[in-house]
Amino acid sequence: MKIKDILAVLEEMAPLAYAEDFDNVGLLTGDSNNNATGVLVCHDALENVIDEAIAKNCNLIVCFHPILFSGLKKITGKNYVERSIIKAIKNDIAIYAVHTALDNHKHGVNKIFCDALGLKNTCVLVPKENYIRKLITFTIPENVEKLRNALFDAGAGNIGNYENCSFTSQGFGSYQGNEDSNPAIGLPGDFVEDKEIKIEVTFEKHLESKILKALFNNHVYEEVAYEVYSLENKHQNIGLGMIGEFEKPMDEKDFLLFVKEKMEAGGIRHSAFTGKPIKKVAVLGGSGSFAIKSAIAKGADAFLTADLKYHQFYEAENRLLLADIGHFESERYTKNYIVDYLTKKIPNFAIILSQENTNPVKYL
């Protein structure tokens, strides 16, 4: 098996197009055409993790956080990032990062977070914007079924829990081909006016090339008339954070102790107690201060995240309980999910969970 075959499976799990623009996801080091000897899954691809990969004969490391986040102008081994990259390259180890590609996935980091706490009826907290596009095309009635099904097969027409969604309407189209044309109906030079069906479908923007290929390959016209629009609609199944509910409400202090146990947190910093029971909970693994207002707007009784600054705790405004459980802790079970996913997709191959603790934060 080639490394690139495993990367294709990882792309199915967390499409790189889902990642935030600021992020650095995908293959960071290594040659994807090399044969894979084993996969080591970790949170951070530090030097000790690369040593672990070497010891366990794994030449592909799948990490959550990208060890290469911002650009390097020199690689001299002066810091932990450069030393990790040098060691990986010297030992021909590929490093692949998923980060916000998995953060934004409906089954990703924040669903894992919710599942660890037993939250039900979950939905995305901050839906991704500017990610949905619409295709409009026109064809003859005899071509509608074939063309529409081809667009569905390419990934168009998925809206929330529904698939194969489209809208069709009937009208009349006209054209007149020049002497070099080869019209499906009529002859070059003829003015043709005939019944046409308008087909409208939405799709995720990273599928555009695939959608257009299906359109051109299955349309009967020599010159395909089509329009692609960017929509302002928010994508309800892709985005950062998640919100869900407990079956029964909990006391605030009991809730925090429950979270501390389930997420194995060394300590929890939190805002003042509101005096209200906790039933509806918003979560956002990693740095999530930007979503405080979203959690309040969606009626959360509590918001669990990490990396909160002093003044950000004031933003709770006694409207919810705001808790910082630790960056690593909020993403703790992500690597387990990746291992489980790869093991199911690639059975009988070495998929290994790293035993190195890469959390840089320690507690007394």
Side-chain angles (χ1 to χ4, degrees):
M1 178 179 293
K2 300 286 188 182
I3 288 176
K4 64 182 179 183
D5 298 322
I6 300 172
L7 302 191
V9 176
L10 288 166
E11 272 258 32
E12 291 176 6
M13 180 192 73
L16 297 182
Y18 286 6
E20 296 296 307
D21 292 338
F22 65 80
D23 207 2
N24 187 33
V25 294
L27 188 63
L28 305 181
T29 69
D31 186 348
S32 63
N33 289 309
N34 287 345
N35 290 322
T37 60
V39 181
L40 183 70
V41 180
C42 67
H43 204 84
D44 303 276
L46 305 180
E47 282 185 271
N48 57 336
V49 173
I50 294 167
D51 287 334
E52 183 183 14
I54 295 168
K56 294 177 178 177
N57 194 34
C58 295
N59 66 344
L60 172 60
I61 294 175
V62 177
C63 55
F64 180 64
H65 289 140
I67 186 68
L68 282 175
F69 192 75
S70 53
L72 293 178
K73 293 185 177 180
K74 297 178 182 179
I75 305 180
T76 61
K78 67 181 179 182
N79 58 43
Y80 77 97
V81 173
E82 294 179 12
R83 289 192 296 272
S84 297
I85 296 302
I86 290 171
K87 182 167 286 191
I89 292 172
K90 277 185 175 180
N91 290 278
D92 207 12
I93 292 175
I95 300 176
Y96 183 96
V98 294
H99 206 209
T100 57
L102 192 56
D103 273 316
N104 277 316
H105 198 286
K106 65 179 180 180
H107 297 303
V109 175
N110 297 294
K111 183 62 165 66
I112 298 165
F113 197 164
C114 287
D115 289 345
L117 298 176
L119 296 172
K120 307 297 182 182
N121 305 318
T122 56
C123 62
V124 172
L125 179 63
V126 186
K128 198 168 182 64
E129 298 181 348
N130 304 314
Y131 203 76
I132 303 174
R133 291 183 180 173
K134 174 182 275 192
L135 169 70
I136 297 176
T137 190
F138 310 84
T139 190
I140 58 176
E142 295 82 359
N143 184 223
V144 170
E145 184 175 357
K146 176 186 177 183
L147 179 57
R148 189 170 55 183
N149 287 341
L151 295 173
F152 291 157
D153 290 342
N158 294 322
I159 302 176
N161 294 322
Y162 296 85
E163 58 184 25
N164 297 347
C165 302
S166 68
F167 183 81
T168 57
S169 53
Q170 184 172 304
F172 288 88
S174 66
Y175 58 82
Q176 184 173 11
N178 61 28
E179 59 183 15
D180 295 322
S181 66
N182 183 28
I185 300 173
L187 299 172
D190 290 348
F191 177 80
V192 177
E193 186 175 35
D194 203 357
K195 286 183 180 179
E196 280 194 328
I197 303 298
K198 179 182 182 182
I199 302 173
E200 302 179 50
V201 290
T202 57
F203 61 91
E204 295 177 2
K205 70 177 184 180
H206 73 279
L207 296 173
E208 183 166 336
S209 61
K210 189 176 180 182
I211 298 293
L212 293 181
K213 183 178 179 180
L215 172 66
F216 298 144
N217 287 345
N218 292 275
H219 206 293
V220 296
Y221 288 171
E222 180 184 27
E223 296 289 349
V224 179
Y226 72 98
E227 302 163 4
V228 175
Y229 296 94
S230 293
L231 304 181
E232 294 185 0
N233 305 33
K234 295 179 179 180
H235 198 307
Q236 58 186 303
N237 279 337
I238 300 176
L240 294 168
M242 197 157 275
I243 188 166
E245 297 177 326
F246 288 121
E247 290 185 2
K248 296 180 179 179
M250 301 176 66
D251 170 80
E252 288 175 294
K253 185 175 181 180
D254 290 341
F255 165 71
L256 290 179
L257 291 173
F258 170 78
V259 172
K260 183 177 181 181
E261 177 188 358
K262 289 294 183 181
M263 304 307 292
E264 301 179 39
I268 295 179
R269 300 185 302 138
H270 63 87
S271 61
F273 287 140
T274 66
K276 296 177 288 186
I278 304 297
K279 182 174 175 63
K280 197 170 186 179
V281 180
V283 306
L284 201 158
S287 303
S289 60
F290 64 89
I292 295 172
K293 289 183 174 59
S294 295
I296 293 173
K298 292 198 173 182
D301 301 312
F303 178 37
L304 305 175
T305 188
D307 301 342
L308 296 177
K309 296 180 180 179
Y310 175 88
H311 290 93
Q312 289 167 340
F313 283 97
Y314 286 127
E315 296 180 32
E317 299 269 14
N318 203 43
R319 298 175 67 182
L320 87 174
L321 177 64
L322 185 58
D324 183 333
I325 73 166
H327 194 122
F328 178 89
E329 289 81 0
S330 67
E331 302 165 341
R332 172 179 295 281
Y333 302 114
T334 302
K335 62 181 182 179
N336 303 71
Y337 173 85
I338 297 171
V339 167
D340 290 343
Y341 185 93
L342 289 177
T343 301
K344 289 176 183 176
K345 291 290 185 178
I346 315 173
N348 303 316
F349 190 78
I351 311 293
I352 300 172
L353 179 67
S354 173
Q355 297 304 305
E356 294 292 330
N357 182 350
T358 59
N359 186 2
V361 181
K362 310 301 177 184
Y363 302 89
L364 282 174

